[in-house]
Amino acid sequence: MEVRSENNIQQVRSDKFPSQVLPRTRLRVWFFRVCSSILLWTCMVHIVAFAELWHPRLLTGFTGRVSWITRPPLTLQHSLHAPPPPPLPPRRHYKSNGFLKVSCNGGLNQMRAAICDMVTVARLLNLTLVVPELDKKSFWADPSDFEDIFNVRHFIDSLRDQVRIIRRLPKRFSRKYGFEAFEMPPVSWSNEKYYLEQILPLFSKHGVVHFNRTDTRLANNGIPLDLQKLRCRVNFQGLKFTPQIETLGHKLVHILQEKGPFVALHLRYEMDMLAFSGCTHGCTVEEAEELKRMRYAYPWWREKEIVSEERRQQGLCPLTPEEATLILQALGFDEETQIYIASGEIYGSERRLAPLRTAFPRIVKKETLLDPVELQQFQNHSSQMAALDFMVSVASNTFIPTYDGNMAKVVEGHRRYLGFKKSILPDRKKLVELLDLHQNGTLPWNNFAVAVRQAHEKRMGQPFRRRVIPDKPKEEDYFYANPQECLCEGTNCEDLLAPGKSSKATMIMSAQL
C-alpha cells in the first residue's frame, strides 16, 4: 500500500506540474553523463600514466596518441591547419636484458652525440633505456632536464621500433627500496665487441647499469652499418627540440632570411674555451691571469700549465675576433654581409668585438633580434640558448666555426646531411702562419687573401671519406661531423666519396634511414 501511495503521489505531481518534472529529469541525465565522462577520462589518464611508469610495453601506441591529442595547440590558427601527426612506427618486441641509465656530460652538442650513442648501445644489447640525465655540474651549471630541451614524447615514440625507452626506472630500482645501480664509465671509442662481451654480462648480474660518463664512448669506425644508421636516425629524426625552442628558433631564422642570405659565425671566443685551452693571444696580462685561475679552479681540467703561443702555432686555439675579421675579409665577405654570432658571451665583450663590428656592420645576435621577454625563459639555461644557435647555424647560408669543438662538428655533420650546405672549416694551423706573415708586413694583403682562399678550397663541407687512424681514435675524423654511411645510397656513393671526386655534389640523399 505504501508503494502504491508513493506512486500515486508522484503521478499526481507529474500530472499537476508536467512542465517542471521533464526539465529536471533531463538536467539530471545530462549532469550524470558529464560527471561520468569526466570520471572515465580521469581514470584513463591515470591508467596510461601508471602503465608507462610500471610497464612501458603496455599501451605504448595508445599513449603516444593520447599525448598528441591532449597537447595544447600553440595557436588557434596553427591547430586548425596543422597536419595530423605521422603514424607511429611499429613497436619492436624483444626481451629486455636490463635497464640502461646514463648521465651525459659536457655541453649541449657533446650530450646530443652521446644520447645518439647510448640509444645505439641499448639497441645493440636489447636493453631498456631510461631517458638520459643531462649535465648540471659542468662550467655552465645548466639546470635543464632532458624534457626542457628535447621533445621527450617524440624521442620515445619515434624510436619505439628500435629501443624501449622509459622516463624513469621502476620504483623497485629506487634507493628508497635499498637498490644501488652498478655505476661505471664505459671505455672511450669502444666497438660492438666490447659492449657485447664486457658490458652485456653486467646487466645479467646487476639488472641496472648506470653509465656516469657518455662522451665518445662509441667508436667512430668499425661499427655495423645498421648501427651507424641508427646513430644518424636518432640525431636527425629522434632528437627534436621542445616546441618552445623550435618556435623561437624558427622565428630567428625567419627574421634573418627576410634580410637576405646570412653567415652563421660560431665565434668560440668564450671564457671557458680560453681557460680550458690556455689560449690568451690578444688578452691583457690581467685577463690571462684570470683565465689561468679559472683553469686551476676546475680539477677535471687536467692540463694546468700551458704555453699559449705554442698552442696557437699548433692550430689548437680558437681564432680571436680580430683574426676572424681578417679571415672573413680574405674569403671575400664584404661589409654588406649579414653575420649572425652564434655563441655565448664573448670574452672581453664589445671591446673585442669592435674590429669585427667595424668591418661588418650587419652583425646580429639572438639578443639583438629578439625581445628580451622572448629570451627570458631561456636565461641562465646555456644549453637551451645553445639550441637556438644550433638551429640558426644549421639553417644559415654559410656556417663558419672558429674552433672545431662539439658544436662545430655536430652542425657540420647536420649540414652535410641536409645536402652538403656550405660550411667553411678553417685550417687554423695554416691560418696562424698566414696571419703572422701578414701582420708583420711580410705578406701583402692580396697575397694573403689568395693564400687563405686556396687553403680552404677543399674545406667547404664537400663530400669526403672520414679519416681512419688505427689505434688513435682521438685523432681520426669524428663520426657526427661526417656520418658518411647516412649521406647516400647506391653506387653513386663510392664515386662521390672517392679521392678527387669531392666536387661532385649531385649525390642522392637518403632522408629515410
Side-chain angles (χ1 to χ4, degrees):
M1 290 294 293
E2 293 179 358
V3 173
R4 290 180 181 177
S5 299
E6 181 66 20
N7 290 338
N8 291 337
I9 292 171
Q10 290 182 359
Q11 182 65 40
V12 170
R13 287 177 178 173
S14 63
D15 291 340
K16 287 184 178 181
F17 309 103
S19 61
Q20 295 180 8
V21 172
L22 288 175
R24 289 180 181 176
T25 303
R26 290 173 182 169
L27 182 63
R28 288 171 183 166
V29 172
W30 176 83
F31 181 78
F32 177 79
R33 288 176 177 174
V34 170
C35 291
S36 299
S37 299
I38 294 173
L39 182 61
L40 286 171
W41 273 101
T42 303
C43 291
M44 185 181 70
V45 170
H46 280 82
I47 289 171
V48 167
F50 280 109
E52 182 180 352
L53 176 62
W54 290 99
H55 208 316
R57 286 179 289 184
L58 296 175
L59 305 175
T60 307
F62 183 69
T63 56
R65 290 173 174 84
V66 169
S67 67
W68 177 80
I69 292 169
T70 56
R71 188 183 301 140
L74 296 178
T75 64
L76 180 60
Q77 183 180 2
H78 181 269
S79 65
L80 291 175
H81 300 286
L88 296 176
R91 180 159 43 95
R92 176 171 172 251
H93 296 277
Y94 64 96
K95 180 181 178 182
S96 176
N97 290 321
F99 294 88
L100 175 59
K101 182 180 178 182
V102 298
S103 295
C104 302
N105 56 293
L108 172 66
N109 291 285
Q110 181 171 310
M111 293 190 293
R112 183 187 185 103
I115 292 166
C116 300
D117 285 352
M118 293 301 104
V119 171
T120 304
V121 169
R123 174 64 176 83
L124 171 65
L125 303 183
N126 287 333
L127 304 173
T128 298
L129 176 68
V130 182
V131 169
E133 298 175 348
L134 302 188
D135 193 341
K136 297 179 175 63
K137 299 178 181 179
S138 63
F139 165 79
W140 302 276
D142 187 339
S144 299
D145 291 317
F146 185 98
E147 58 267 26
D148 297 321
I149 300 173
F150 299 108
N151 186 327
V152 67
R153 186 72 263 165
H154 173 81
F155 177 68
I156 293 172
D157 286 345
S158 66
L159 296 168
R160 73 185 203 136
D161 61 329
Q162 296 291 326
V163 181
R164 190 177 307 135
I165 304 174
I166 59 175
R167 292 177 183 264
R168 58 190 66 85
L169 283 170
K171 285 187 177 180
R172 67 181 184 275
F173 295 116
S174 68
R175 290 185 178 181
K176 180 180 178 181
Y177 293 93
F179 181 82
E180 289 288 340
F182 180 75
E183 191 169 301
M184 64 170 290
V187 175
S188 297
W189 294 292
S190 295
N191 59 19
E192 180 187 22
K193 182 179 178 181
Y194 166 79
Y195 282 100
L196 287 170
E197 295 183 359
Q198 298 189 44
I199 298 299
L200 183 57
L202 297 175
F203 288 90
S204 300
K205 182 178 180 181
H206 302 282
V208 180
V209 175
H210 179 193
F211 290 166
N212 52 18
R213 292 184 69 86
T214 58
D215 57 322
T216 62
R217 303 295 148 162
L218 194 59
N220 292 309
N221 304 291
I223 302 296
L225 180 61
D226 61 326
L227 296 182
Q228 295 288 54
K229 290 202 170 191
L230 178 56
R231 295 168 90 175
C232 293
R233 178 175 163 185
V234 183
N235 189 21
F236 303 130
Q237 299 175 23
L239 286 176
K240 288 180 62 177
F241 293 124
T242 63
Q244 294 84 355
I245 292 175
E246 288 209 338
T247 298
L248 202 55
H250 287 311
K251 181 176 181 178
L252 273 171
V253 172
H254 180 68
I255 292 172
L256 288 159
Q257 289 177 338
E258 278 191 326
K259 299 176 182 178
F262 69 96
V263 174
L265 179 66
H266 184 219
L267 192 59
R268 192 68 169 95
Y269 200 77
E270 297 150 311
M271 190 175 187
D272 66 296
M273 181 72 252
L274 301 179
F276 173 76
S277 63
C279 298
T280 57
H281 183 74
C283 294
T284 64
V285 174
E286 292 76 16
E287 287 172 335
E289 284 299 316
E290 180 184 36
L291 294 170
K292 184 176 180 179
R293 285 195 300 271
M294 180 180 175
R295 186 163 64 251
Y296 272 88
Y298 288 85
W300 55 84
W301 288 353
R302 298 176 184 175
E303 199 172 2
K304 301 300 184 182
E305 290 298 325
I306 300 173
V307 180
S308 174
E309 197 54 37
E310 287 183 5
R311 183 66 58 93
R312 178 174 174 268
Q313 294 297 326
Q314 295 168 353
L316 301 177
C317 288
L319 296 176
T320 68
E322 298 87 352
E323 291 172 337
T325 302
L326 293 172
I327 299 306
L328 287 170
Q329 290 174 323
L331 288 169
F333 296 102
D334 58 28
E335 61 182 9
E336 294 301 316
T337 304
Q338 183 182 199
I339 297 179
Y340 176 88
I341 302 294
S343 72
E345 181 66 28
I346 300 301
Y347 191 62
S349 194
E350 284 300 316
R351 175 180 64 84
R352 296 303 299 272
L353 275 178
L356 186 63
R357 196 178 293 281
T358 299
F360 302 99
R362 298 183 65 196
I363 282 182
V364 293
K365 300 186 291 184
K366 52 187 174 292
E367 291 83 0
T368 60
L369 292 174
L370 298 172
D371 188 290
V373 175
E374 295 178 288
L375 280 174
Q376 187 173 0
Q377 61 181 315
F378 303 112
Q379 295 295 337
N380 302 318
H381 295 83
S382 59
S383 291
Q384 296 181 47
M385 296 286 266
L388 295 174
D389 285 339
F390 179 90
M391 288 186 66
V392 176
S393 297
V394 168
S396 64
N397 298 87
T398 305
F399 174 64
I400 306 176
T402 60
Y403 186 77
D404 59 350
N406 288 294
M407 176 167 171
K409 292 175 180 176
V410 175
V411 169
E412 177 191 348
H414 218 102
R415 290 172 66 84
R416 288 179 183 278
Y417 179 77
L418 293 176
F420 297 94
K421 300 176 70 175
K422 189 175 183 179
S423 301
I424 303 177
L425 310 171
D427 181 345
R428 293 190 309 281
K429 185 174 182 180
K430 181 67 175 177
L431 288 177
V432 166
E433 176 188 339
L434 295 174
L435 284 163
D436 288 347
L437 288 173
H438 172 63
Q439 290 178 323
N440 66 21
T442 305
L443 188 64
W445 172 257
N446 288 341
N447 294 353
F448 170 76
V450 169
V452 169
R453 289 195 290 271
Q454 287 178 344
H456 293 84
E457 286 179 349
K458 296 182 179 180
R459 299 178 66 90
M460 300 283 184
Q462 302 100 323
F464 70 91
R465 287 200 175 278
R466 278 197 311 273
R467 180 182 50 167
V468 180
I469 306 177
D471 301 324
K472 293 185 178 180
K474 192 173 183 178
E475 298 178 22
E476 64 186 9
D477 291 340
Y478 188 44
F479 173 82
Y480 291 101
N482 185 18
Q484 62 192 34
E485 297 89 339
C486 313
L487 302 181
C488 64
E489 291 182 348
T491 57
N492 287 343
C493 294
E494 292 301 322
D495 294 339
L496 185 69
L497 297 172
K501 300 289 184 70
S502 62
S503 61
K504 185 178 179 182
T506 56
M507 87 182 330
I508 300 173
M509 297 300 297
S510 173
Q512 302 295 328
L513 297 179

